[in-house]
Amino acid sequence: MQSVTDVSRLDLAAVFDAVPTSYAVLDTDLRFVVVNQAFLESSGRSRGDLIGRRVFDVFPDNPDDPEAHATANLEASLRRVLRTGRPDTMPLQKYDVAGPDGVFRPFWWSPVNAPVLDEDGRVVLLLHRAEDVTAYVTERQAQRFDAGVGLYDVPEDRHRAEADLYVRGQELRAALTAEAVLAQRLAGVVQVALQLSAAQTVAELTDIVVGRGLGVLGAGGGAVAVRTEAGDALELTLTASLGERARGAFGRVPLDSPLPVAVAAATGEVVVLPDRAAALAFTPHMEAAVTSTGLGTWVSLPLQAAGRSLGALTIGWRDPQDFTDRDLELMSAFAAQCAQSLAAVQAHEQERRVAGEQRRLSETLQRSLLTAPFEPDHLQIAVRYLPAAADAKIGGDWYDCFLAPSGTTTLVVGDVAGHDRDAAAAMAQLRNLLRGVSMTLGEPPAAVLAGLDRAAHHLGVGVIATAVVAQVEQTPAERAAGLRTLRWSNAGHPPPVLIGADGTARLLHTPPDLLLGLLPDAARTDHTVTLEPGATVVLYTDGLVERRGAPLPDGLEWLRTTLEQLHHLSAEELCDALLARLDGAAEDDIALLVLRAHPEDGPRPAEAGPQVLPPTSPGAAPPLTRP
């Protein structure tokens, strides 16, 4: 039998070809010299396609991917190996490879480049290892999709860190096949790392780490320490195994404390205390930690991401430990994943806080403008404003009602494009400008909207908006007959709804006029409809009828049929009942204005409110009459 120590008689080429991981040997001009079978299978190439050719001639960047930089990254790594004579482990690379049909398909690789030296220590060849981890990355994308987390909701550096951790975990698994306990821990750490990547809050992340992660490492307990916003202290979440006494004593630790967890966070260095004697010798403060927890062996690892200290991970065992380099590498990899996940969660929480503050500012501004309506005699007006559920969806919707100098009741509902505080500010400008134009011109709605468009253009109020302006008019003949006229003009807005006294609802569809803010001299048209006693007019913004994935006509028909079902309610009750029937939370802001035309041959109805606004205010013109 051939001795395994007789290396000279081994078929090294056959051994190289049998290795299941992809390997290639390159010369100093970066040309292929030798490749193994695994490399051919993963790349979809034959040896004839590769040998003697430069690696980047065979595997160029995907021309359809503007973010593709894999060739530059790989060349930089290979040049570093040639220059330094030392191995270079690259971060995870997205390096698409064209198939036999010439179509590029996405691949993810974990490359390592190592030098082959001659007797004088000069680099004569390069050994390139390319571990294909495409299946892992694809699986992670699918898991995120199932969890409702979009691929682009995850920062790229966190995405790479996860896959790098997976690859390193696979390498460690292979190295520790003879050490079953550590291999099992490694598998557990990889699974915990996947859970960490889905954490949405700091509390959820720390629960995963202390609830499962430390147990997977075989520890008796530990804690996640997160730096406070002030940065001068650490807030610790401890495992239940450490007991209430430890939680009370070490729930908050100053950053300048001599405890290992604070030292690791402050210095970025790993602190290893392999037994009780080492722990007590590190600082007298450890006596309280050892006594209260019963753990004598500790490792504290810094949590760092993007060059920033986030805190530390501290792990404890009851018995002395003989830590190997592999043990520490595994704990460092786990701490790195914790740090990446913690950084992403903190960034997301900060975004939510900022969005919440912007939302509150926008809503405060908006509500300060959307005042209670006045109460004209026998015309009841009810209004509602419902902000969207999403933080960013706020800012541009408004309603308004006022008495024009002509004595007519003027109603307005509009929507400025955009959903942020800028849209809220633009809405305020446009709303007030519309009031001023209406008061100055004393003209019908079409002329008011045309004047508003011109004024906004010349004053530099650069916004795009939709709006409906309506006026309630009454000639002497109409007054004698108990009738009124609704005159309105529509600038690209959803149509008003008219509910007759008999409860029949119809959409006041008209040929659409242009949105505001596009052409300052656009033609505008007035439309009229007779209001009988008991009729109701509903003005609204598109958030009431638009639904994701559903056509607008479906939303308009839902509104019409729902209003028919609710026609018997008072104006105030109708507003509340209509909003209550929305299917789920509002996806966009909603401004709602309901006008009820009560009969004039009796006293003012009680549901119309306790106050009465005279038809004309002192000094105002008489009510508008038209032949």
Side-chain angles (χ1 to χ4, degrees):
M1 178 182 293
Q2 175 178 294
S3 169
V4 295
T5 60
D6 189 3
V7 179
S8 63
R9 300 181 59 186
L10 288 177
D11 186 349
L12 296 181
V15 172
F16 181 75
D17 212 38
V19 174
T21 301
S22 299
Y23 279 94
V25 178
L26 311 174
D27 64 16
T28 55
D29 291 326
L30 308 186
R31 292 189 296 260
F32 287 103
V33 177
V34 182
V35 295
N36 69 352
Q37 186 61 33
F39 191 96
L40 297 176
E41 293 172 357
S42 64
S43 65
R45 299 292 193 277
S46 67
R47 283 188 169 85
D49 295 330
L50 302 177
I51 304 304
R53 301 185 62 189
R54 291 188 82 250
V55 60
F56 306 117
D57 293 337
V58 183
F59 301 110
D61 280 324
N62 185 349
D64 296 327
D65 184 359
E67 301 298 322
H69 305 294
T71 57
N73 295 341
L74 177 57
E75 182 170 8
S77 173
L78 294 169
R79 296 294 181 193
R80 279 195 297 272
V81 176
L82 287 171
R83 185 177 64 255
T84 65
R86 292 193 298 269
D88 186 78
T89 300
M90 298 180 63
L92 186 75
Q93 298 293 310
K94 184 178 184 298
Y95 199 160
D96 297 348
V97 176
D101 56 358
V103 176
F104 281 83
R105 292 174 175 82
F107 280 83
W108 292 83
W109 308 88
S110 173
V112 176
N113 301 303
V116 178
L117 308 176
D118 64 8
E119 295 179 355
D120 297 323
R122 293 174 299 187
V123 180
V124 292
L125 294 171
L126 297 167
L127 182 63
H128 171 66
R129 188 217 69 177
E131 180 80 15
D132 184 359
V133 294
T134 306
Y136 167 76
V137 173
T138 303
E139 179 185 355
R140 289 296 299 120
Q141 293 175 359
Q143 289 175 354
R144 285 201 177 95
F145 179 83
D146 292 341
V149 180
L151 174 61
Y152 299 103
D153 294 336
V154 182
E156 183 66 15
D157 58 347
R158 178 176 170 188
H159 186 64
R160 293 180 182 276
E162 287 178 29
D164 272 340
L165 178 63
Y166 171 80
V167 172
R168 306 306 167 228
Q170 295 300 92
E171 294 172 347
L172 285 171
R173 185 193 296 275
L176 298 174
T177 52
E179 303 173 43
V181 174
L182 286 180
Q184 184 178 6
R185 289 178 183 173
L186 175 61
V189 165
V190 171
Q191 292 303 314
V192 173
L194 298 181
Q195 295 180 22
L196 288 175
S197 66
Q200 298 297 307
T201 65
V202 173
E204 184 180 345
L205 182 143
T206 54
D207 285 346
I208 293 171
V209 175
V210 302
R212 183 173 179 202
L214 299 184
V216 167
L217 292 172
V224 176
V226 179
R227 292 185 71 158
T228 60
E229 289 189 11
D232 58 349
L234 301 169
E235 292 182 347
L236 277 67
T237 302
L238 290 76
T239 57
S241 61
L242 298 186
E244 290 299 325
R245 180 181 172 188
R247 292 186 185 186
F250 303 105
R252 186 182 179 92
V253 174
L255 192 63
D256 58 0
S257 167
L259 288 171
V261 66
V263 172
T267 66
E269 300 293 332
V270 178
V271 178
V272 180
L273 307 174
D275 51 38
R276 182 186 179 96
L280 296 178
F282 187 79
T283 174
H285 291 75
M286 281 301 293
E287 183 174 359
V290 171
T291 302
S292 62
T293 64
L295 306 181
T297 298
W298 297 87
V299 174
S300 293
L301 305 104
L303 298 179
Q304 296 180 321
R308 186 166 61 94
S309 172
L310 308 178
L313 173 66
T314 190
I315 312 170
W317 292 260
R318 293 190 179 278
D319 300 323
Q321 301 290 314
D322 184 14
F323 297 116
T324 65
D325 290 341
R326 290 170 179 171
D327 294 327
L328 296 175
E329 183 178 353
L330 179 59
M331 286 185 278
S332 295
F334 181 62
Q337 178 60 36
C338 291
Q340 292 288 342
S341 299
L342 178 59
V345 167
Q346 287 180 331
H348 188 52
E349 288 186 341
Q350 177 64 18
E351 289 174 0
R352 287 201 298 264
R353 284 194 293 270
V354 171
E357 291 172 1
Q358 291 181 345
R359 175 190 176 89
R360 285 189 291 273
L361 288 172
S362 297
E363 187 172 346
T364 298
L365 171 62
Q366 204 155 5
R367 290 194 183 279
S368 70
L369 296 170
L370 303 181
T371 53
F374 70 93
E375 298 176 310
D377 194 13
H378 292 86
L379 287 177
Q380 181 186 2
I381 300 174
V383 293
R384 294 291 186 274
Y385 169 69
L386 181 66
D391 286 342
K393 296 278 190 178
I394 189 167
D397 297 33
W398 89 92
Y399 61 77
D400 199 5
C401 52
F402 54 89
L403 194 66
S406 61
T408 62
T409 296
T410 301
L411 313 172
V412 183
V413 166
D415 185 1
V416 172
H419 298 95
D420 52 27
R421 58 185 177 185
D422 293 334
M427 176 273 288
Q429 288 181 288
L430 208 62
R431 175 185 181 273
N432 292 332
L433 192 57
L434 189 150
R435 277 194 166 203
V437 169
S438 178
M439 291 291 185
T440 301
L441 292 180
E443 294 290 335
V448 171
L449 284 173
L452 172 66
D453 223 357
R454 290 192 299 271
H457 173 73
H458 290 297
L459 293 174
V461 183
V463 296
I464 305 298
T466 67
V468 170
V469 175
Q471 295 174 350
V472 181
E473 306 167 357
Q474 191 175 56
T475 66
E478 286 175 327
R479 185 172 184 82
L483 302 176
R484 300 177 178 89
T485 295
L486 180 76
R487 185 181 301 272
W488 80 96
S489 184
N490 189 333
H493 200 80
V497 181
L498 175 64
I499 310 174
D502 62 353
T504 302
R506 64 186 177 101
L507 297 163
L508 298 180
H509 278 299
T510 56
D513 288 345
L514 200 62
L515 281 68
L516 298 167
L518 297 179
L519 292 175
D521 296 322
R524 307 248 171 232
T525 308
D526 282 318
H527 312 276
T528 60
V529 67
T530 298
L531 295 182
E532 297 179 347
T536 302
V537 178
V538 179
L539 305 180
Y540 54 93
T541 55
D542 56 9
L544 185 63
V545 293
E546 287 189 345
R547 299 291 180 273
R548 186 176 303 175
L552 179 59
D554 289 355
L556 293 173
E557 179 60 18
W558 168 86
L559 176 61
R560 189 193 67 78
T561 57
T562 301
L563 289 174
E564 285 190 343
Q565 298 167 11
L566 303 176
H567 77 277
H568 61 284
L569 300 176
S570 70
E572 295 287 346
E573 293 170 337
L574 188 148
C575 286
D576 292 334
L578 180 60
L579 295 178
R581 292 202 179 189
L582 290 174
D583 184 14
E587 298 178 1
D588 197 355
D589 288 5
I590 297 173
L592 177 64
L593 186 151
V594 173
L595 171 78
R596 176 69 51 82
H598 291 290
E600 297 178 276
D601 56 358
R604 176 182 171 86
E607 66 268 21
Q611 300 179 9
V612 176
L613 182 71
T616 58
S617 55
L624 178 67
T625 59
R626 298 191 185 280

